[in-house]
Amino acid sequence: MSQLLAGKTALVLGVANRWSIAYAISAAFVREGASLVLTYQGDRQRQTVEELGSELRAAKVLACDVTNEEELDQLASELKQSTSIVDTMVHSIAFANRDDLSRPYVETSRDGYLLAQEVSSYSLVAVSRAIAPLMTSGGSITTLTYLGSTRVVQNYNVMGVAKAALEASVRYLANDLGPRNIRVNAISAGAIKTASGRAVRNFSKMLEAGPGVAPLRRNTEPAEVADAAVFLASDLGRGVTGNVLFVDAGFHIIGLAFNE
Ligand code: NAD
C-alpha cells in the first residue's frame, strides 16, 4: 500500500518521552513517509527528544517552549530556512499544576487557571499563527483533547475547562484558516498512561474503569490515536475540519453502564 504522507513535512510538538502520544504519532507519520520535525520543551528534555528524533530519523529537532513568543518565532524562521514548507502540524501539549488536578475544582487558584489555559489552550492559537504562513500548499493542524471538556471527569478539573477552550479554538481557527485550505481538528483520546495522564489524581482508576464502560471493552492504545492523526494529516481527511474526532474505544457515548 502506498504511504499516506509521502512527500509531506510534519511538525510534531509534544514529545517528552517514548510514552508521549506525540511519540506514537511521530512514529506513525514516519511509517507513512513523512519528513519529521520534532520540538522539545526545554533543555531538560533536549537529549531525550534528540535521541528519539534520531531513532525516528527526524530531519530536525528544535527547541520550542510554547509560552515563549521568541522561541515560536525562532521555530518558524528555522523551518522557513530549512524545510520552507510545513504540511501538517500536531499540537500535543498540555500542563496544569498537580494541585489543581487533585482537589475540588472550586479551589482552583487564579494563577493555576491561567497557567492551564495558557499552556494547554492559548498555545494552539500561538503555534498556528506562527506556522500557518509556512503551510503554503494548504495543511492540517491537529490537537489533542479529552472528554473532560464537555463532561465532568473527577479530578480533571481545570484541564477540562482548558480543553473546552481548546475545542472552541479549533472551530474558530478552522474558520479563519479554511480559506487557505488549512484544516484544524482535535482528536479526543481515551485515557492513556503518560506523564501528563499520571498527573491527574487517581488516574489509574480512570484506566481501571475504561474496559467496563467502553463499547469496545478496553482502553485506548496510543497507536490508535496515531492512526487517526495520520488520517487527519493525509489527503484522506481533506474534507474534515473544525471537528473533534473521538478515539476512545467509544467511551464518550455511554451515559450509564452497570453489570446486570
Ligand atoms: P506527555 O506528558 O507525554 O505530553 C505532554 C507534552 O506537553 C510534553 O511533551 C510536554 O513537554 C509538553 N509541554 C508542556 N508544557 C509545555 C510548554 N510550555 N511548551 C512546550 N511543550 C510543553 O502526555 P500526553 O498524554 O502524551 O499528552 C499529550 C496531549 O494529549 C495533551 O494535550 C493531553 O492533554 C492530551 N491527552 C492525553 C490523554 C491521556 O490520557 N494521556 C487523553 C486525552 C488527551
Side-chain angles (χ1 to χ4, degrees), residues 15-17 38-41 45-54 61:
V15 175
N17 52 51
L38 297 180
T39 64
Y40 57 90
Q41 184 186 347
Q45 280 184 7
R46 181 179 184 154
Q47 194 185 343
T48 308
V49 180
E50 281 182 347
E51 282 168 14
L52 294 173
S54 83
V61 179

PDB file of all heavy atoms in Angstrom, residues 15-17 38-41 45-54 61:
ATOM      1  N   VAL A  15       6.537  15.767  22.103  1.00  0.00           N
ATOM      2  CA  VAL A  15       7.222  14.538  22.507  1.00  0.00           C
ATOM      3  C   VAL A  15       8.060  14.854  23.740  1.00  0.00           C
ATOM      4  O   VAL A  15       8.906  15.741  23.704  1.00  0.00           O
ATOM      5  CB  VAL A  15       8.144  13.991  21.392  1.00  0.00           C
ATOM      6  CG1 VAL A  15       8.929  12.783  21.901  1.00  0.00           C
ATOM      7  CG2 VAL A  15       7.350  13.626  20.146  1.00  0.00           C
ATOM      8  N   ALA A  16       7.798  14.152  24.837  1.00  0.00           N
ATOM      9  CA  ALA A  16       8.640  14.281  26.031  1.00  0.00           C
ATOM     10  C   ALA A  16       9.422  12.993  26.228  1.00  0.00           C
ATOM     11  O   ALA A  16      10.560  13.008  26.660  1.00  0.00           O
ATOM     12  CB  ALA A  16       7.796  14.569  27.264  1.00  0.00           C
ATOM     13  N   ASN A  17       8.792  11.880  25.882  1.00  0.00           N
ATOM     14  CA  ASN A  17       9.425  10.568  26.066  1.00  0.00           C
ATOM     15  C   ASN A  17       8.689   9.554  25.176  1.00  0.00           C
ATOM     16  O   ASN A  17       7.780   9.922  24.419  1.00  0.00           O
ATOM     17  CB  ASN A  17       9.375  10.150  27.545  1.00  0.00           C
ATOM     18  CG  ASN A  17       7.956  10.241  28.086  1.00  0.00           C
ATOM     19  OD1 ASN A  17       7.018   9.709  27.496  1.00  0.00           O
ATOM     20  ND2 ASN A  17       7.782  10.930  29.198  1.00  0.00           N
ATOM     21  N   LEU A  38      10.694  17.514  15.053  1.00  0.00           N
ATOM     22  CA  LEU A  38      10.218  17.447  16.441  1.00  0.00           C
ATOM     23  C   LEU A  38      10.646  18.703  17.189  1.00  0.00           C
ATOM     24  O   LEU A  38      11.624  19.346  16.823  1.00  0.00           O
ATOM     25  CB  LEU A  38      10.817  16.237  17.155  1.00  0.00           C
ATOM     26  CG  LEU A  38      10.466  14.855  16.626  1.00  0.00           C
ATOM     27  CD1 LEU A  38      11.164  13.779  17.460  1.00  0.00           C
ATOM     28  CD2 LEU A  38       8.953  14.635  16.648  1.00  0.00           C
ATOM     29  N   THR A  39       9.914  19.002  18.266  1.00  0.00           N
ATOM     30  CA  THR A  39      10.371  20.072  19.165  1.00  0.00           C
ATOM     31  C   THR A  39      10.460  19.510  20.582  1.00  0.00           C
ATOM     32  O   THR A  39       9.816  18.515  20.913  1.00  0.00           O
ATOM     33  CB  THR A  39       9.412  21.274  19.175  1.00  0.00           C
ATOM     34  OG1 THR A  39       8.152  20.869  19.699  1.00  0.00           O
ATOM     35  CG2 THR A  39       9.235  21.863  17.783  1.00  0.00           C
ATOM     36  N   TYR A  40      11.277  20.171  21.403  1.00  0.00           N
ATOM     37  CA  TYR A  40      11.364  19.823  22.826  1.00  0.00           C
ATOM     38  C   TYR A  40      11.115  21.077  23.648  1.00  0.00           C
ATOM     39  O   TYR A  40      11.376  22.198  23.215  1.00  0.00           O
ATOM     40  CB  TYR A  40      12.716  19.190  23.168  1.00  0.00           C
ATOM     41  CG  TYR A  40      13.899  20.046  22.824  1.00  0.00           C
ATOM     42  CD1 TYR A  40      14.427  20.963  23.733  1.00  0.00           C
ATOM     43  CD2 TYR A  40      14.484  19.950  21.571  1.00  0.00           C
ATOM     44  CE1 TYR A  40      15.510  21.761  23.407  1.00  0.00           C
ATOM     45  CE2 TYR A  40      15.574  20.753  21.230  1.00  0.00           C
ATOM     46  CZ  TYR A  40      16.076  21.653  22.156  1.00  0.00           C
ATOM     47  OH  TYR A  40      17.134  22.457  21.822  1.00  0.00           O
ATOM     48  N   GLN A  41      10.606  20.844  24.857  1.00  0.00           N
ATOM     49  CA  GLN A  41      10.132  21.973  25.682  1.00  0.00           C
ATOM     50  C   GLN A  41      11.256  22.809  26.280  1.00  0.00           C
ATOM     51  O   GLN A  41      11.130  24.015  26.422  1.00  0.00           O
ATOM     52  CB  GLN A  41       9.242  21.431  26.809  1.00  0.00           C
ATOM     53  CG  GLN A  41       8.633  22.535  27.652  1.00  0.00           C
ATOM     54  CD  GLN A  41       7.877  22.000  28.849  1.00  0.00           C
ATOM     55  OE1 GLN A  41       7.608  20.804  28.928  1.00  0.00           O
ATOM     56  NE2 GLN A  41       7.518  22.880  29.752  1.00  0.00           N
ATOM     57  N   GLN A  45      14.648  18.407  28.462  1.00  0.00           N
ATOM     58  CA  GLN A  45      14.114  17.367  27.568  1.00  0.00           C
ATOM     59  C   GLN A  45      14.979  17.152  26.337  1.00  0.00           C
ATOM     60  O   GLN A  45      14.778  16.199  25.591  1.00  0.00           O
ATOM     61  CB  GLN A  45      12.720  17.768  27.096  1.00  0.00           C
ATOM     62  CG  GLN A  45      11.628  17.501  28.088  1.00  0.00           C
ATOM     63  CD  GLN A  45      10.278  17.827  27.497  1.00  0.00           C
ATOM     64  OE1 GLN A  45      10.155  18.134  26.305  1.00  0.00           O
ATOM     65  NE2 GLN A  45       9.260  17.768  28.309  1.00  0.00           N
ATOM     66  N   ARG A  46      15.903  18.064  26.114  1.00  0.00           N
ATOM     67  CA  ARG A  46      16.602  18.095  24.825  1.00  0.00           C
ATOM     68  C   ARG A  46      17.211  16.746  24.426  1.00  0.00           C
ATOM     69  O   ARG A  46      16.935  16.230  23.337  1.00  0.00           O
ATOM     70  CB  ARG A  46      17.686  19.176  24.879  1.00  0.00           C
ATOM     71  CG  ARG A  46      18.430  19.286  23.588  1.00  0.00           C
ATOM     72  CD  ARG A  46      19.475  20.362  23.647  1.00  0.00           C
ATOM     73  NE  ARG A  46      20.080  20.481  22.343  1.00  0.00           N
ATOM     74  CZ  ARG A  46      20.636  21.577  21.894  1.00  0.00           C
ATOM     75  NH1 ARG A  46      20.665  22.655  22.620  1.00  0.00           N
ATOM     76  NH2 ARG A  46      21.169  21.599  20.693  1.00  0.00           N
ATOM     77  N   GLN A  47      18.016  16.175  25.346  1.00  0.00           N
ATOM     78  CA  GLN A  47      18.743  14.956  24.993  1.00  0.00           C
ATOM     79  C   GLN A  47      17.793  13.804  24.647  1.00  0.00           C
ATOM     80  O   GLN A  47      17.952  13.126  23.635  1.00  0.00           O
ATOM     81  CB  GLN A  47      19.668  14.553  26.135  1.00  0.00           C
ATOM     82  CG  GLN A  47      20.677  13.510  25.682  1.00  0.00           C
ATOM     83  CD  GLN A  47      21.538  13.006  26.820  1.00  0.00           C
ATOM     84  OE1 GLN A  47      21.618  13.629  27.885  1.00  0.00           O
ATOM     85  NE2 GLN A  47      22.171  11.875  26.612  1.00  0.00           N
ATOM     86  N   THR A  48      16.760  13.630  25.490  1.00  0.00           N
ATOM     87  CA  THR A  48      15.804  12.534  25.239  1.00  0.00           C
ATOM     88  C   THR A  48      15.131  12.702  23.888  1.00  0.00           C
ATOM     89  O   THR A  48      15.029  11.748  23.106  1.00  0.00           O
ATOM     90  CB  THR A  48      14.702  12.522  26.335  1.00  0.00           C
ATOM     91  OG1 THR A  48      15.334  12.510  27.597  1.00  0.00           O
ATOM     92  CG2 THR A  48      13.783  11.337  26.201  1.00  0.00           C
ATOM     93  N   VAL A  49      14.683  13.922  23.602  1.00  0.00           N
ATOM     94  CA  VAL A  49      13.945  14.125  22.345  1.00  0.00           C
ATOM     95  C   VAL A  49      14.896  14.003  21.149  1.00  0.00           C
ATOM     96  O   VAL A  49      14.520  13.461  20.102  1.00  0.00           O
ATOM     97  CB  VAL A  49      13.182  15.479  22.351  1.00  0.00           C
ATOM     98  CG1 VAL A  49      12.414  15.683  21.050  1.00  0.00           C
ATOM     99  CG2 VAL A  49      12.226  15.540  23.543  1.00  0.00           C
ATOM    100  N   GLU A  50      16.148  14.445  21.326  1.00  0.00           N
ATOM    101  CA  GLU A  50      17.113  14.269  20.228  1.00  0.00           C
ATOM    102  C   GLU A  50      17.356  12.783  19.962  1.00  0.00           C
ATOM    103  O   GLU A  50      17.438  12.360  18.811  1.00  0.00           O
ATOM    104  CB  GLU A  50      18.424  14.990  20.557  1.00  0.00           C
ATOM    105  CG  GLU A  50      18.287  16.483  20.293  1.00  0.00           C
ATOM    106  CD  GLU A  50      19.558  17.287  20.548  1.00  0.00           C
ATOM    107  OE1 GLU A  50      20.499  16.740  21.175  1.00  0.00           O
ATOM    108  OE2 GLU A  50      19.597  18.454  20.144  1.00  0.00           O
ATOM    109  N   GLU A  51      17.451  11.994  21.049  1.00  0.00           N
ATOM    110  CA  GLU A  51      17.653  10.542  20.856  1.00  0.00           C
ATOM    111  C   GLU A  51      16.460   9.908  20.153  1.00  0.00           C
ATOM    112  O   GLU A  51      16.607   9.121  19.222  1.00  0.00           O
ATOM    113  CB  GLU A  51      17.874   9.859  22.217  1.00  0.00           C
ATOM    114  CG  GLU A  51      19.285  10.057  22.747  1.00  0.00           C
ATOM    115  CD  GLU A  51      19.447   9.653  24.213  1.00  0.00           C
ATOM    116  OE1 GLU A  51      18.541   8.968  24.751  1.00  0.00           O
ATOM    117  OE2 GLU A  51      20.461  10.048  24.808  1.00  0.00           O
ATOM    118  N   LEU A  52      15.255  10.282  20.593  1.00  0.00           N
ATOM    119  CA  LEU A  52      14.053   9.724  19.951  1.00  0.00           C
ATOM    120  C   LEU A  52      13.975  10.201  18.495  1.00  0.00           C
ATOM    121  O   LEU A  52      13.591   9.446  17.603  1.00  0.00           O
ATOM    122  CB  LEU A  52      12.790  10.138  20.723  1.00  0.00           C
ATOM    123  CG  LEU A  52      12.679   9.553  22.144  1.00  0.00           C
ATOM    124  CD1 LEU A  52      11.487  10.142  22.886  1.00  0.00           C
ATOM    125  CD2 LEU A  52      12.563   8.029  22.085  1.00  0.00           C
ATOM    126  N   GLY A  53      14.372  11.451  18.290  1.00  0.00           N
ATOM    127  CA  GLY A  53      14.362  12.011  16.930  1.00  0.00           C
ATOM    128  C   GLY A  53      15.317  11.257  16.022  1.00  0.00           C
ATOM    129  O   GLY A  53      14.974  10.960  14.868  1.00  0.00           O
ATOM    130  N   SER A  54      16.487  10.895  16.541  1.00  0.00           N
ATOM    131  CA  SER A  54      17.419  10.200  15.639  1.00  0.00           C
ATOM    132  C   SER A  54      16.928   8.785  15.370  1.00  0.00           C
ATOM    133  O   SER A  54      17.075   8.260  14.272  1.00  0.00           O
ATOM    134  CB  SER A  54      18.860  10.265  16.151  1.00  0.00           C
ATOM    135  OG  SER A  54      19.091   9.283  17.086  1.00  0.00           O
ATOM    136  N   VAL A  61      15.354  18.548  15.061  1.00  0.00           N
ATOM    137  CA  VAL A  61      14.806  18.589  16.426  1.00  0.00           C
ATOM    138  C   VAL A  61      15.102  19.987  16.956  1.00  0.00           C
ATOM    139  O   VAL A  61      16.266  20.364  17.096  1.00  0.00           O
ATOM    140  CB  VAL A  61      15.455  17.506  17.325  1.00  0.00           C
ATOM    141  CG1 VAL A  61      14.894  17.592  18.739  1.00  0.00           C
ATOM    142  CG2 VAL A  61      15.215  16.112  16.752  1.00  0.00           C
TER     143      VAL A  61
END
